[in-house]
Amino acid sequence: MMVLETLLYIIAYPPLWQVIVIGLLGSFLTAMIAIWFERKAAARVQRRIGPYWASPRLGGFLNLVADMIRYILQEVIIPRTVDKVPFVLAPVAAFVVSIMPIAFVPLSPYEKFWPVPDMQYSLLIALAITTVPPLLAVIGGWASNNKFAVIGSLRESYVITAYELIFVIAVLSAAPTFLTLNVLHIVEAQSPFMWLAFLNPIAFLAAFLAVLMSTSAFPFEIPESEHEVVAGPYTEYSGILYALNMGGAYVRRFIYAVLISLVFLGGWAPYVPPSEGPLFAIIVPSIIVAVKALIVVLAMSFLRAVYGRYRLDQALDSAWRLVLPLALIGLGWGIALGLIM
Amino acid sequence: MPPRVAVKNLKKGGGLFEGVKSNIEALIVGIKYFVDPKRMTLLYPKEYPEHRPGYRGFIVLKKDVCISCAACARVCPSAAMKMVRVTEADPREPGKARQKQYPVINYQRCIFCGYCVDVCPVEALYHLPFHDITYESLADMFLTLEAFQKEPLRPVEKEGSPVVYEFDESAGLVKREKKGGA
């Protein structure tokens, strides 16, 4: 019993649990489930079967494992013409920085389970860090010294400029509603079912669309559209570096989804964590948050089956003329809610 | 002067309401198919298509009927069929040998167009309703005269079950299990 308790405390050690288990492993698992679901859902809607023969009982899930092993074992080719240091560092740094925002949000109401001691400005800090990885993707594309990569980077920067602003505005609309920038207070104010997604659906929709576009989720993969620019910023990458780039997009989507589930979907809302014991104070609430985030990611994956890819001009047009006003309306609604409440 | 082309008056995309409405309709269609998929994919070794009798599949030779006219070899568009000269016992004059030509087929080249069957004046060639071309080596795909007279076996018949594609009023072409077993 003593051993088990100690082991639990070691696992629940905040940096280990929150950053490595939920952040790294969780996003890894989410990426695999999301890719699998994306392929299966698109196949169902298009009257196909999708991945199947690798493991018929699991619906072909092991196909993803095989893909992953292939990426890991593949030869990494670094062309002679690239700028080597940024070329290699950019995807690695982007992957690491993508996970980092999760270290600055609370997944438990108790201070001893936080990776950082103070959550006063957690919403702002997490939002600020989510804006870094696209820059690294642009750096990697520029370092590739390839016209497709440069065009892809340019598209990426266009899309990011438009949609990250929308995401930041939409998520910050929670601040005037609850008069705080502390994610913990925002989560606790939503308990048990006063979720901001119900109170302020417009901002929620804007945030959802912004994540969909800015992480180039599959139907909207404008920067790396295969038919136009070979693989966008990732044209020259191969093997594990390409996997980091491609998985990085899913990791970013998962981290965005964690932020959305904390701010809009009430975090660990219906559940009220008791103060003692690591199992019920940190592990259960963080898993609730991760599952909510997974559902958000899967909802995004499903849209692949329904929508075609937008052109760059259509995406930017809808961003500046439709979704940005939507986000601003959401912010106004948030301020109005704050005045009423 | 070329004839005037009537310019189609394309309806311009409706307003915001129209856009929202069409997006929601697309989502509903997607969810409908997601919940109730009518799949068409053939899981080949477990299922195989059951074709109707007129299907142009494997070609089999009736050697006794053949009159060696070589029309099949000449009409073959992909040059899959060839005539071979064999020496055999003459049925009309016992004890004597005769030389005769018979067609053989190369399934590496055959496109299953069925022209040879159509052109044959004595109906010495006929189709089977399947063409599961699975051979262990490429050399096996050149059928000898003896192999060309035998009906080839269907490799999936033991483990698979037959399916048919039927037209459904609402869903279009759908895959159904064939009734009454194999």
Side-chain angles (χ1 to χ4, degrees):
Chain A
M1 208 60 220
M2 194 61 197
V3 177
L4 205 67
E5 203 112 302
T6 318
L7 207 66
L8 263 180
Y9 267 100
I10 290 172
I11 290 172
Y13 174 60
L16 180 70
W17 175 255
Q18 194 150 333
V19 180
I20 302 298
V21 178
I22 293 289
L24 187 63
L25 293 182
S27 55
F28 204 64
L29 203 65
T30 310
M32 279 175 70
I33 293 174
I35 295 172
W36 174 78
F37 180 80
E38 202 167 87
R39 293 174 66 179
K40 287 301 261 194
R44 276 176 88 93
V45 174
Q46 294 161 3
R47 305 172 65 188
R48 296 181 284 112
I49 286 176
Y52 180 75
W53 286 116
S55 55
R57 296 245 174 95
L58 292 173
F61 189 78
L62 294 188
N63 210 330
L64 274 300
V65 180
D67 277 355
M68 204 182 62
I69 293 170
R70 181 175 68 83
Y71 274 130
I72 290 170
L73 299 182
Q74 221 170 22
E75 184 189 356
V76 178
I77 296 168
I78 299 176
R80 219 178 302 144
T81 51
V82 303
D83 192 351
K84 285 197 184 56
V85 176
F87 181 82
V88 175
L89 277 186
V92 180
F95 191 84
V96 173
V97 177
S98 305
I99 299 174
M100 272 174 61
I102 206 165
F104 295 92
V105 292
L107 293 181
S108 158
Y110 304 109
E111 198 181 345
K112 59 179 172 178
F113 296 118
W114 296 344
V116 288
D118 191 9
M119 287 287 166
Q120 200 59 43
Y121 299 106
S122 44
L123 186 61
L124 269 186
I125 295 171
L127 276 177
I129 296 173
T130 55
T131 58
V132 177
L135 293 178
L136 291 161
V138 172
I139 289 173
W142 185 256
S144 297
N145 191 14
N146 175 310
K147 60 184 171 188
F148 296 116
V150 172
I151 294 171
S153 305
L154 192 68
R155 289 175 168 215
E156 173 99 15
S157 55
Y158 270 130
V159 172
I160 287 300
T161 314
Y163 280 97
E164 224 153 46
L165 177 66
I166 293 165
F167 183 73
V168 170
I169 291 175
V171 171
L172 279 187
S173 71
T177 308
F178 301 119
L179 302 174
T180 175
L181 283 170
N182 188 340
V183 176
L184 179 63
H185 292 167
I186 292 176
V187 170
E188 278 176 348
Q190 297 178 64
S191 186
F193 281 109
M194 273 238 303
W195 297 358
L196 197 62
F198 304 142
L199 296 179
N200 194 349
I202 294 177
F204 177 62
L205 185 66
F208 188 84
L209 289 176
V211 172
L212 205 58
M213 286 293 201
S214 68
T215 58
S216 49
F218 220 106
F220 310 109
E221 82 291 29
I222 295 152
E224 58 254 35
S225 63
E226 256 171 42
H227 319 272
E228 294 152 16
V229 285
V230 179
Y234 318 132
T235 305
E236 293 284 3
Y237 285 97
S238 56
I240 184 78
L241 288 178
Y242 180 74
L244 280 180
N245 267 325
M246 198 190 69
Y250 284 94
V251 170
R252 272 174 61 213
R253 207 179 307 165
F254 174 69
I255 300 299
Y256 276 130
V258 165
L259 269 179
I260 285 184
S261 65
L262 281 170
V263 174
F264 287 104
L265 299 177
W268 54 87
Y271 177 74
V272 182
S275 58
E276 73 282 344
L279 181 62
F280 295 104
I282 171 76
I283 293 177
V284 172
S286 54
I287 284 174
I288 290 174
V289 174
V291 167
K292 278 180 181 172
L294 178 64
I295 290 168
V296 172
V297 170
L298 292 189
M300 284 172 190
S301 295
F302 174 73
L303 293 182
R304 179 194 181 175
V306 180
Y307 286 103
R309 192 176 63 247
Y310 282 24
R311 286 197 316 267
L312 181 62
D313 62 317
Q314 288 171 329
L316 293 180
D317 183 73
S318 67
W320 293 112
R321 292 214 343 236
L322 195 71
V323 192
L324 181 64
L326 208 65
L328 288 174
I329 293 171
L331 183 62
W333 190 318
I335 293 171
L337 275 175
L339 289 178
I340 295 167
M341 277 162 59
Chain B
M1 191 180 151
R4 273 194 117 154
V5 180
V7 178
K8 229 187 212 170
N9 257 330
L10 286 173
K11 223 174 80 184
K12 233 182 158 215
L16 186 64
F17 178 74
E18 195 76 9
V20 171
K21 196 183 134 208
S22 51
N23 271 295
I24 290 172
E25 277 172 3
L27 280 175
I28 288 171
V29 169
I31 290 166
K32 200 183 91 187
Y33 273 102
F34 180 69
V35 174
D36 178 28
K38 296 187 174 61
R39 285 161 165 162
M40 293 175 70
T41 311
L42 188 75
L43 293 171
Y44 174 63
K46 300 265 184 260
E47 298 172 343
Y48 59 87
E50 186 73 37
H51 298 298
R52 290 180 175 73
Y55 189 81
R56 295 174 183 177
F58 277 127
I59 297 155
V60 186
L61 169 72
K62 292 182 204 159
K63 190 184 163 200
D64 303 337
V65 186
C66 181
I67 58 168
S68 307
C69 68
C72 46
R74 263 182 276 133
V75 80
C76 184
S78 56
M81 209 166 254
K82 263 188 181 176
M83 303 303 284
V84 290
R85 184 183 293 274
V86 290
T87 309
E88 57 178 17
D90 193 335
R92 281 170 297 186
E93 294 177 49
K96 278 196 170 178
R98 68 166 183 187
Q99 287 203 326
K100 202 179 166 185
Q101 289 192 338
Y102 290 109
V104 289
I105 197 165
N106 172 7
Y107 278 125
Q108 284 180 27
R109 302 194 68 121
C110 183
I111 57 170
F112 300 98
C113 64
Y115 283 5
C116 47
V117 180
D118 289 348
V119 82
C120 185
V122 290
E123 298 185 3
L125 295 168
Y126 64 98
H127 278 299
L128 294 176
F130 56 87
H131 53 68
D132 305 16
I133 311 177
T134 49
Y135 291 95
E136 281 181 4
S137 71
L138 283 177
D140 290 349
M141 298 178 82
F142 286 93
L143 295 198
T144 59
L145 188 55
E146 283 70 39
F148 194 26
Q149 295 174 56
K150 267 185 269 168
E151 291 194 358
L153 290 173
R154 194 170 207 174
V156 291
E157 205 136 13
K158 281 173 210 141
E159 46 178 326
S161 61
V163 294
V164 287
Y165 285 98
E166 282 175 4
F167 193 77
D168 188 274
E169 285 279 318
S170 61
L173 209 58
V174 290
K175 187 179 75 180
R176 295 239 167 83
E177 192 104 339
K178 196 194 170 202
K179 287 175 195 92

